[in-house]
Amino acid sequence: MQRTFSIIKPDAVRRNLIGHINQIIESSNLNILASKKIYLTKIQAETFYEVHKGRPFFESLVKFMTSGAVQVQVLEGEDAVANYRKIMGATNPAEAEEGTIRKLYAESIEANSVHGSDSEENAKIEISFFFSGSELV
Ligand code: ATP
Ligand code: MG
């Protein structure tokens, strides 16, 4: 069993897609251990996407991620990191496979509806950034 971290991004929360996205997650052998709706602060969004600092899309990305509420979640299942990345689909929805969350719901390469950790190590860092141990059940 492995855990991963997910964000349902502001574009999807705004369009009432939390339930639709979680239906795909739950029917893909992933359990939702924790889930809460929050507003990211500018500093949280900058820290979260720090690896992209200096890229041309960084400032716009931070603005987008703080433009509305997000749903942060911890998912658990076999190969959760890779499994969730697969059902999310490619970063650019134009390149995402049929049936993936981004193919179904993303508005653009920026407003692409979901985040998922890209490694088990980053999953641990991201989970502890938003959740305390007692919230994971
Ligand atoms: P995430 O980290 O959100 O799960 P990802 O790992 O698929 O997405 P990254 O390369 O880490 O993709 O980019 C982080 C986020 O930055 C993307 O999900 C998207 O919202 C935004 N982004 C990435 N590339 C671009 C781009 N070329 N133009 C605009 N926004 C972009
Ligand atoms: Mg990424």
Side-chain angles (χ1 to χ4, degrees):
M1 289 297 245
Q2 190 180 54
R3 290 176 178 180
T4 191
F5 177 73
S6 152
I7 302 178
I8 301 177
K9 297 184 180 183
D11 66 291
V13 173
R14 251 192 299 276
R15 286 176 289 148
N16 270 349
L17 293 172
I18 295 171
H20 286 84
I21 290 170
N22 280 342
Q23 193 165 23
I24 296 172
I25 288 171
E26 289 189 315
S27 57
S28 305
N29 280 323
L30 291 164
N31 295 326
I32 301 167
L33 294 192
S35 181
K36 62 188 174 189
K37 190 182 274 186
I38 62 169
Y39 285 86
L40 293 181
T41 65
K42 184 166 183 271
I43 287 172
Q44 282 176 328
E46 285 171 349
T47 306
F48 189 78
Y49 280 121
E50 202 158 28
V51 295
H52 298 303
K53 207 167 176 172
R55 304 275 287 275
F57 59 84
F58 180 74
E59 276 167 31
S60 176
L61 175 62
V62 169
K63 207 168 173 192
F64 163 63
M65 290 299 291
T66 56
S67 69
V70 298
Q71 191 80 12
V72 290
Q73 307 194 124
V74 179
L75 312 180
E76 185 176 72
E78 204 174 305
D79 287 326
V81 170
N83 182 9
Y84 184 51
R85 292 288 300 191
K86 189 167 190 338
I87 65 169
M88 283 167 50
T91 308
N92 184 351
E95 292 162 11
E97 273 181 47
E98 288 299 329
T100 60
I101 295 168
R102 284 168 166 168
K103 180 71 176 187
L104 285 165
Y105 299 125
E107 293 180 325
S108 66
I109 190 169
E110 177 179 81
N112 60 4
S113 301
V114 282
H115 159 78
S117 308
D118 57 14
S119 68
E120 186 167 31
E121 189 193 353
N122 283 336
K124 284 181 181 155
I125 294 167
E126 292 170 3
I127 289 167
S128 61
F129 192 71
F130 290 103
F131 290 95
S132 66
S134 63
E135 289 177 291
L136 308 176
V137 290

